[in-house]
């Protein structure tokens, strides 16, 4: 059986087992506490940690290799501009779709949501750091600290600089590039080893999450939940596939097939960062994108490109505006498109952060931040779904940029 199938079965079993234990008392003597919060939580956390341990070394080594190989003949600046523009564009489309779907379905209007609940809501928003600080923080004053803290943007900046310097250092640089290439192979092998753990890790993670999911909350927020899911689904199946087909001519069906392990990891871990090793490996090995492009687009995407998050934020904004019966007007919605695009860039690729940055969007258009408390109950499940979309977006843009740079092997993609 292929690993992808094993992971798929593990996912299904985890979801069924966890949900059953949630609704039926299948274990006597409080045994479920020991199983779900003890054993499953332990294995799940070890699995996530094993993915995360790869991220910093992988991004640093892979991106250094990519930039060094691109150095002399490629134009890093043009590639970066294309990548960032595409990430911004897809996010802006995502949020526009989210707003349109939400206006159509009206998830927070009186007859669909009990607005009495608003009086009980409370949520404390964190203050956002000033823009100047955000910009200064992109440059690492201490690269080792950046790596130790897992600050992805800083690691990316350092690796880019290091790679460019290697490519400009003649024979000395060539030696360093050679050892980094070897190191890159070793790290890819590490990914292959740790991926073998995935079926067990994913089973345990999902069983625990579905065991603790409040299904009653989903009933109460059903229309909101479905609205987000519809917008995510539309963006994933219509927008991404059209972009891929139009801009690269590659087969969307093949693409979606290649995406299966990435989507499953994104869904199970609810973290673009933790999924990054799988995204990079799949985009390079299965989709045929050259390391010089993938090593830049994938980590950058996992850090700044969050279309699924933007969709949740768009729907949530409309929902909260309707529940509190506040009309933010056309200008308000345009502000939402702008701020949610920025907020999703600022969202770290770890579970739950999208909800934190939603506060920024709400504040910007004068909606009550405590509205977040209304949707928090179903956010974990939505987080898993939106992360699956986030990582799909990173892969689409990687293929498009690679195609424009003539850095994708169509034979590998179509294999
Ligand atoms: N969990 C998401 C991700 O890692 C971010 C979020 O929306 O909370 O991509």
């Amino acid at each position: 059986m292929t690993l992808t199938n094993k992971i798929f079965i593990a996912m299904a079993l985890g979801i069924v087992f966890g949900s059953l234990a949630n609704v039926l008392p299948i274990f006597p003597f409080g045994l479920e506490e020991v199983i779900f919060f003890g054993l499953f939580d332990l294995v799940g956390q070890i699995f996530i940690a094993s993915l995360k341990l790869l991220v910093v070394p992988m991004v640093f080594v892979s991106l250094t290799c990519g930039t060094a190989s691109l150095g002399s003949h490629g134009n890093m600046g043009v590639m970066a501009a294309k990548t960032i523009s595409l990430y911004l564009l897809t996010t802006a489309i995502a949020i526009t779709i989210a707003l349109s779907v939400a206006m159509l379905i009206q998830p927070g209007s009186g007859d669909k949501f009990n607005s009495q609940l608003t009086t009980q809501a409370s949520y404390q928003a964190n203050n956002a750091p000033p823009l100047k600080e955000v910009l200064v923080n992109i440059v690492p004053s201490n690269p080792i600290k950046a790596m130790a803290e897992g600050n992805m943007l800083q690691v990316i900046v350092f690796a880019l600089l290091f790679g460019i310097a290697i490519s400009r250092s003649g024979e000395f640089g060539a030696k360093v590039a050679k050892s980094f290439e070897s190191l890159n192979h070793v790290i890819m092998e590490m990914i292959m080893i740790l991926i073998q753990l995935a079926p067990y890790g994913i089973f345990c993670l999902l069983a625990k999450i579905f065991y603790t999911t409040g299904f009653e909350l989903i009933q109460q927020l059903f229309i909101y939940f479905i609205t987000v899911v519809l917008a995510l689904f539309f963006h994933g199946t219509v927008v991404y596939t059209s972009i891929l087909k139009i801009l690269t001519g590659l087969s969307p069906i093949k693409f979606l097939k290649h995406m299966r392990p990435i989507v499953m990891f994104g869904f199970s871990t609810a973290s673009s960062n933790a999924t990054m090793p799988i995204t990079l490996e799949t985009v390079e090995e299965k989709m045929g994108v050259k390391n010089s492009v993938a090593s830049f687009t994938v980590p950058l995407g996992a850090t700044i490109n969050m279309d699924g998050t933007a969709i949740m934020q768009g729907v949530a904004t409309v929902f909260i505006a309707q529940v509190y019966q506040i009309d933010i007007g056309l200008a308000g919605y345009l502000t939402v498109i702008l701020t949610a695009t920025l907020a999703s860039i600022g969202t770290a690729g770890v579970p739950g952060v999208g909800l934190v940055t939603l506060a920024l969007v709400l504040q910007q258009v004068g909606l009550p931040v405590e509205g977040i408390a209304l949707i928090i109950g179903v956010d974990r499940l939505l987080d898993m779904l939106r992360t699956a979309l986030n990582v799909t977006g990173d892969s689409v843009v990687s293929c498009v940029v690679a195609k424009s740079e003539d850095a994708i092997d169509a034979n590998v993609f179509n294999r």
Side-chain angles (χ1 to χ4, degrees), residues 297-310:
T297 53
V298 171
L300 189 69
T303 313
I304 68 162
N305 182 49
M306 311 274 165
D307 295 356
T309 305

Side-chain angles (χ1 to χ4, degrees), residues 270-273 306 309 347-355 383 386-387 390:
S271 165
S272 304
N273 272 359
M306 311 274 165
T309 305
T347 304
V350 290
V353 184
L355 209 59
D383 193 6
R386 68 179 181 251
T387 306
N390 289 346

Side-chain angles (χ1 to χ4, degrees), residues 27 35 108 138 180 200 251 256 280 296 319 337 344 355 378 409:
F27 294 103
I35 293 180
I138 293 178
F180 264 74
Y200 311 100
S251 154
L256 291 176
L280 190 67
F296 175 70
F319 175 76
I337 296 183
S344 72
L355 209 59
V378 291
D409 185 340

Side-chain angles (χ1 to χ4, degrees), residues 150-365:
N151 184 326
M152 267 318 125
L153 281 184
Q154 294 193 349
V155 174
I156 289 174
V157 169
F158 184 62
L160 284 176
L161 203 62
F162 196 59
I164 292 171
I166 288 177
S167 73
R168 292 168 51 145
S169 302
E171 57 172 310
F172 300 109
K175 282 185 203 152
V176 181
K178 197 94 207 107
S179 13
F180 264 74
E181 249 166 60
S182 312
L183 207 54
N184 200 22
H185 280 287
V186 175
I187 289 181
M188 284 291 168
E189 203 49 49
M190 260 174 98
I191 298 178
M192 298 311 284
I193 297 172
L194 290 174
I195 277 185
Q196 305 299 326
L197 281 178
Y200 311 100
I202 285 179
F203 169 80
C204 292
L205 271 181
L206 291 183
K208 188 199 153 204
I209 286 169
F210 279 79
Y211 172 65
T212 43
T213 294
F215 287 109
E216 328 75 63
L217 282 169
I218 297 186
Q219 273 169 20
Q220 216 173 67
L221 286 160
F222 188 68
I223 309 280
Y224 164 74
F225 190 87
I226 286 295
T227 312
V228 178
V229 171
L230 274 180
L232 291 175
F233 188 76
F234 183 83
H235 196 65
T237 53
V238 179
V239 178
Y240 284 158
T241 50
S242 312
I243 290 180
L244 188 81
K245 186 77 201 161
I246 295 168
L247 296 183
T248 68
L250 295 165
S251 154
I253 307 277
K254 269 254 150 24
F255 173 80
L256 291 176
K257 278 197 182 144
H258 290 318
M259 279 308 298
R260 278 177 308 182
I262 308 183
V263 166
M264 288 195 285
F265 269 76
F267 178 80
S268 310
T269 60
S271 165
S272 304
N273 272 359
T275 310
M276 212 193 299
I278 318 302
T279 317
L280 190 67
E281 209 256 341
T282 311
V283 166
E284 286 186 12
E285 305 294 324
K286 303 259 166 57
M287 303 192 192
V289 175
K290 278 198 191 145
N291 171 260
S292 55
V293 172
S295 66
F296 175 70
T297 53
V298 171
L300 189 69
T303 313
I304 68 162
N305 182 49
M306 311 274 165
D307 295 356
T309 305
I311 285 178
M312 175 281 285
Q313 294 182 338
V315 176
T317 310
V318 175
F319 175 76
I320 291 170
Q322 286 170 353
V323 169
Y324 286 89
Q325 296 178 7
I326 301 171
D327 184 10
I328 60 171
L330 185 64
Y333 286 111
L334 291 176
T335 313
V336 172
I337 296 183
L338 189 71
T339 43
T341 304
L342 297 178
S344 72
I345 293 176
T347 304
V350 290
V353 184
L355 209 59
V356 178
T357 47
L358 172 62
L360 272 180
V361 183
L362 295 178
Q363 272 164 351
Q364 208 59 42
V365 288

